[in-house]
Amino acid sequence: MFTLRHTPRPARGPQSPISRASETPPPPPPHRRLGDQDETRIQVTDQLLEKLHNMGVLTTKKSLVQTEKLSTASFCRRRLSVVMVRMKMAETLKEACTFVEQGHVRVGPETVTDPAFLVTRAMEDFVTWVDTSKIKRKVQKYNDKLDDFDLLG
């Protein structure tokens, strides 16, 4: 017949899961603070402010305090479809997205098919219809600016 013996269980390691949860986490590594007059800090700050200003997210390049107030909406306002609605090229965002996805819009010389394309402050003036777009022809006809030479093509 079988007899039951008591066999000790192997140890699970130096700490059990219960004791690990009650421990305090290790302190975070110390952060290096750059002084107000540090050359690297000034250079990186200027680059960041310049980049955000050129993107059109910041109105002025004054200080880093403005970056604390940035939200995702600031970046969303720079999307191509939103810029098109602001420029009155489309009545709604959905309509603007459709025009972009169908290839009716170009930014500079490039045709853009992504409605989430971020339009910088410099490129905002170059958002226009593609030359072969039927929408461009319709707008020109409505404004009586359609050239007879354009009708041939």
Side-chain angles (χ1 to χ4, degrees):
M1 189 130 207
F2 296 102
T3 59
L4 294 174
R5 285 190 195 170
H6 175 67
T7 56
R9 288 187 159 179
R12 289 189 169 198
Q15 298 173 343
S16 67
I18 296 171
S19 66
R20 266 188 265 154
S22 62
E23 286 183 14
T24 58
H31 295 285
R32 180 174 170 228
R33 288 209 165 272
L34 298 176
D36 290 342
Q37 300 303 319
D38 188 32
E39 219 176 282
T40 306
R41 178 181 181 200
I42 293 171
Q43 183 181 9
V44 171
T45 300
D46 290 342
Q47 287 175 353
L48 176 67
L49 291 175
E50 181 76 25
K51 177 80 170 174
L52 292 174
H53 178 72
N54 289 342
M55 284 178 62
V57 179
L58 292 180
T59 53
T60 60
K61 299 181 271 188
K62 287 185 182 175
S63 69
L64 283 177
V65 176
Q66 294 175 318
T67 59
E68 294 176 357
K69 299 175 186 174
L70 282 181
S71 64
T72 53
S74 303
F75 289 94
C76 290
R77 280 188 228 110
R78 302 305 306 173
R79 293 168 61 123
L80 179 58
S81 52
V82 177
V83 171
M84 285 180 60
V85 172
R86 200 173 337 117
M87 293 174 66
K88 306 273 194 262
M89 291 177 74
E91 290 183 11
T92 63
L93 277 176
K94 185 176 181 181
E95 186 178 43
C97 286
T98 305
F99 291 157
V100 173
E101 288 169 350
Q102 291 177 354
H104 290 287
V105 181
R106 67 184 168 106
V107 179
E110 300 292 321
T111 302
V112 179
T113 58
D114 182 18
F117 179 80
L118 289 179
V119 180
T120 62
R121 190 182 300 269
M123 294 302 289
E124 192 170 353
D125 296 334
F126 299 104
V127 175
T128 185
W129 302 108
V130 175
D131 293 333
T132 59
S133 174
K134 297 273 185 180
I135 298 169
K136 178 180 181 179
R137 187 167 292 171
K138 203 62 134 168
V139 170
Q140 287 177 337
K141 186 175 181 182
Y142 178 79
N143 292 332
D144 290 330
K145 293 183 179 179
L146 186 62
D147 191 13
D148 293 335
F149 181 74
D150 291 336
L151 293 173
L152 297 174

